[in-house]
Amino acid sequence: MPSEKASAIVLRVADFSETSCVATLFTREFGKVRGIAKGARRLKGPFDSALDLLSVCRVVFLRKQSDVLDILTEARLERSFRPRAKDLSCLNAGYYVGELLREMTDDYDAHPELYDAAEQTLADLSAGTTPVFELTLRFELVLLQLLGHLPSLSTCAECGTPIPLQGKIHFAHLCGGVICTRCRAGKPQVATVTPAVIAVLQAWSPRPSTHLPSRPSDTIGAPSHRDVSELLGSRATCGALRGLMAHYIAHLVGHPLRMHRYLTTDPQR
Ligand SMILES: [Zn+2]
């Protein structure tokens, strides 16, 4: 049985027996891993309080065959998740990052860039220098891009026609992004949003990797940082952004995520 070492974010810890627990981890090297940690509920031991929700730690585990839990033999705490005192929106956003990783990634499907983005987002949430609303939305967009689900935001997801940022814009959840009026006919699950909603998503979507040829239509008309602050001055825009992302991600996962309803719609938080 090979012994593996990895950097890990703790996504879930469930009691297994009086002394043991089962931990779900998102590791940088192997993706999502589930392992039984024998003796983890004792005060002193090879885990020494490293297995707290959203902690970042170094772990050692024995990799088992499919359908059997791995065995976690060691966990050393590197950083705890410490949301700002009395800031529930920050705590909820952290839980949501964990829920997204749990629900949207598969066991042993490594995404090191996603791991880095998640670790950075948890650190930024703890630091409290960037609004929770922005950190949450930016992380959702990075996750969607890295998992190949970033919605089409500047051209029709069906026919490729450029969609101008004006009037009412149709967003078809099942088609994977904005669609033109011609393609909209007869499509189920289409939301109608304002140009401001799409403009914020465009501005905060991660740019394509530098080794890929950039598509000019992705950047034309994308708003500047200052424009985004003005767009987010409207609570209606922020509420619509939350609703759109919740619906889109629920469609991808197959059910609504538990933490969606607790996420802030206040752009200053
Ligand atoms: Zn179209």
Side-chain angles (χ1 to χ4, degrees):
M1 214 184 320
S3 165
E4 310 279 15
K5 291 179 181 165
S7 296
I9 297 169
V10 181
L11 302 183
R12 174 181 274 168
V13 183
D15 292 347
F16 183 73
S17 69
E18 263 183 42
T19 56
S20 303
C21 63
V22 173
T24 304
L25 310 170
F26 186 64
T27 69
R28 190 175 197 282
E29 294 80 355
F30 305 96
K32 197 166 64 185
V33 167
R34 270 177 277 228
I36 184 160
K38 292 178 181 170
R41 299 185 64 202
R42 292 198 191 102
L43 280 178
K44 290 284 172 195
F47 302 102
D48 207 17
S49 76
L51 295 180
D52 281 337
L53 199 58
L54 302 176
S55 285
V56 174
C57 43
R58 281 295 292 173
V59 297
V60 181
F61 62 97
L62 301 173
R63 196 166 167 172
K64 306 275 279 202
Q65 298 302 314
S66 55
D67 295 341
V68 183
L69 285 171
D70 294 331
I71 295 179
L72 205 55
T73 57
E74 204 181 311
R76 183 166 45 79
L77 181 68
E78 300 219 316
R79 193 171 60 234
S80 297
F81 174 58
R82 296 198 186 283
R84 285 166 278 179
K86 296 182 182 168
D87 188 346
L88 215 52
S89 65
C90 181
L91 180 69
N92 288 337
Y95 288 162
Y96 179 56
V97 167
E99 188 180 19
L100 281 173
L101 294 173
R102 225 171 51 231
E103 294 283 352
M104 293 197 67
T105 65
D106 295 319
D107 290 359
Y108 281 104
D109 183 16
H111 289 282
E113 286 177 83
L114 179 56
Y115 177 90
D116 293 343
E119 193 183 327
Q120 187 62 51
T121 300
L122 292 174
D124 290 345
L125 283 168
S126 298
T129 46
T130 308
V132 171
F133 179 87
E134 177 172 347
L135 290 172
T136 308
L137 187 52
R138 281 185 185 274
F139 179 71
E140 288 173 313
L141 292 167
V142 168
L143 172 126
L144 291 172
Q145 190 216 27
L146 292 173
L147 298 180
H149 295 301
L150 190 66
S152 179
L153 297 169
S154 55
T155 57
C156 174
E158 285 284 276
C159 71
T161 303
I163 305 286
L165 287 180
Q166 61 191 41
K168 289 178 179 169
I169 299 181
H170 306 298
F171 186 102
H173 294 283
L174 299 179
C175 302
V178 295
I179 53 170
C180 69
T181 313
R182 212 177 50 229
C183 293
R184 192 245 172 277
K187 293 277 186 316
Q189 299 203 38
V190 177
T192 302
V193 295
T194 61
V197 169
I198 301 301
V200 174
L201 293 177
Q202 284 182 356
W204 283 354
S205 286
R207 294 280 166 253
S209 302
T210 46
H211 63 270
L212 293 173
S214 63
R215 288 173 296 167
S217 60
D218 276 351
T219 49
I220 287 177
S224 69
H225 185 75
R226 206 177 113 249
D227 291 339
V228 172
S229 305
E230 283 171 19
L231 293 171
L232 289 174
S234 153
R235 284 294 284 268
T237 298
C238 299
L241 276 164
R242 269 285 112 249
L244 189 75
M245 293 305 281
H247 198 140
Y248 183 65
I249 288 171
H251 153 67
L252 292 174
V253 173
H255 59 84
L257 294 200
R258 207 170 55 85
M259 291 309 298
H260 269 151
R261 72 174 75 170
Y262 302 109
L263 297 175
T264 182
T265 54
D266 181 347
Q268 310 301 330
R269 293 293 294 270

